[in-house]
Amino acid sequence: MTMNPWLPPLAYSVWTALVLGVAIGSARRGGKRADRRRLAELGPVEYAFVSGGAARAADVCILRLLGAGSLHVSRDGQVVAARTPEPGAAPEAPLRVLDEEYGGLPLRELRVRVAGSPEIQAIGTSLLAAGLVARPDAGPRRVPRWALFATMALGVATAVAGFVRADDGAASALPWVGLLLAVIGIQACVAGLLLLGVFGERVVPTAPTMRRLIRMRRDEAAVAALGADGVGAVALWGLDRFPDPVVKEIFRRNAPAPGSRDPRSPWCGSTSCASPQGARAGSCGGTADGCGG
């Protein structure tokens, strides 16, 4: 009894469709219906959060206060408050953190502490409740890591089996080439998911939020209205869009060290300057690899 030659490719196709479907689907769903009214009311810090996570939201908070003259940063990266929080009012996270320290803080430490602050962490919780971002463990983390590695091993085995079959006759060579190309494409998808699971951002916008981000990024007037002096561009794109080269260089030199985050903070692990589709370490004046205390 000979085995059907199309059985291995068929089994491989079903397996990969299941694994990739669960991985990609869970990465794009937050588990709740998106609150579109809430989506229309997002401010620059919230857009920064859905675009680049807690680290970028912290940078936008700091840049807004620098632009307003409430903070001063020296060329060596020391940040001091130019004013104290108003009595009885809830201070913004950078001012509150600096108010707890005498003599200011290094920018690197301030970025980490603001990203892990209750104010920034609450933004992630609020966006999750509104169905605008996925939970921090979304995406390939919902799929057992062994399933992704098994998919790669099965792909190699299927391609080899197809090659052996193709050696039986020239007529079977063309289907094997098609099978090989399909396996290569699927392997690339799986490798991307593995990289996303290890190095990727933990804040994943849901589909309505992603469509809104795409529209905002194409509208220069909307970007300018989101924040003056380049703050809106930083919120949507990252620090590489900040117009002041001096401040951008100071942020680049004072990037938080990779892994400088508090594991107790649920919204960490994002880069300050990477969009969900195109994370490039070091591309935007420094990367904040998380948040911490």
Side-chain angles (χ1 to χ4, degrees):
M1 181 177 177
T2 60
M3 183 180 67
N4 189 326
W6 293 106
L7 185 59
L10 179 61
Y12 178 66
S13 300
V14 172
W15 173 263
T16 52
L18 177 63
V19 172
L20 295 181
V22 171
I24 297 172
S26 64
R28 290 301 173 198
R29 290 196 302 269
K32 300 180 178 65
R33 184 180 296 275
D35 184 348
R36 296 182 183 275
R37 184 176 61 181
R38 176 83 169 83
L39 183 59
E41 299 171 348
L42 296 183
V45 178
E46 292 167 313
Y47 271 114
F49 196 100
V50 299
S51 297
R56 189 183 297 178
D59 284 346
V60 167
C61 284
I62 296 170
L63 289 171
R64 289 175 66 187
L65 292 174
L66 285 173
S70 299
L71 297 179
H72 289 317
V73 60
S74 65
R75 287 185 176 270
D76 61 358
Q78 187 72 11
V79 185
V80 295
R83 65 174 175 86
T84 57
E86 298 179 4
E92 294 194 49
L95 288 175
R96 181 186 58 77
V97 171
L98 287 172
D99 189 50
E100 298 170 356
E101 303 288 339
Y102 296 101
L105 280 174
L107 178 58
R108 178 179 291 106
E109 183 178 347
L110 179 64
R111 293 171 75 180
V112 172
R113 289 181 60 174
V114 172
S117 67
E119 295 90 338
I120 298 298
Q121 296 294 303
I123 291 175
T125 303
S126 172
L127 293 171
L128 175 63
L132 303 183
V133 297
R135 58 187 60 83
D137 60 349
R141 295 172 181 79
R142 299 285 304 280
V143 179
R145 191 60 57 93
W146 65 263
L148 293 174
F149 281 111
T151 302
M152 301 189 76
L154 287 172
V156 174
T158 303
V160 171
F163 176 75
V164 172
R165 185 72 184 176
D167 268 354
D168 293 342
S172 60
L174 188 59
W176 176 78
V177 172
L179 173 63
L180 179 63
L181 293 175
V183 168
I184 291 174
I186 292 172
Q187 299 286 62
C189 291
V190 175
L193 286 173
L194 286 169
L195 289 175
L196 180 66
V198 176
F199 304 111
E201 297 180 353
R202 295 180 66 180
V203 175
V204 182
T206 53
T209 310
M210 182 57 66
R211 289 193 293 268
R212 179 89 175 187
L213 285 173
I214 293 172
R215 288 196 300 269
M216 289 281 291
R217 287 168 175 161
R218 292 174 177 173
D219 189 343
E220 293 184 3
V223 175
L226 188 61
D229 301 324
V231 171
V234 172
L236 295 178
W237 295 102
L239 280 166
D240 61 336
R241 297 298 182 98
F242 194 66
D244 189 330
V246 175
V247 173
K248 187 162 57 176
E249 177 64 16
I250 293 172
F251 271 75
R252 186 195 66 79
R253 292 199 312 262
N254 291 274
S260 56
R261 66 184 183 87
D262 186 347
R264 296 169 299 178
S265 299
W267 299 102
C268 300
S270 299
T271 56
S272 172
C273 57
S275 67
Q277 290 79 22
R280 280 195 302 134
S283 65
C284 316
T287 57
D289 188 45
C291 47

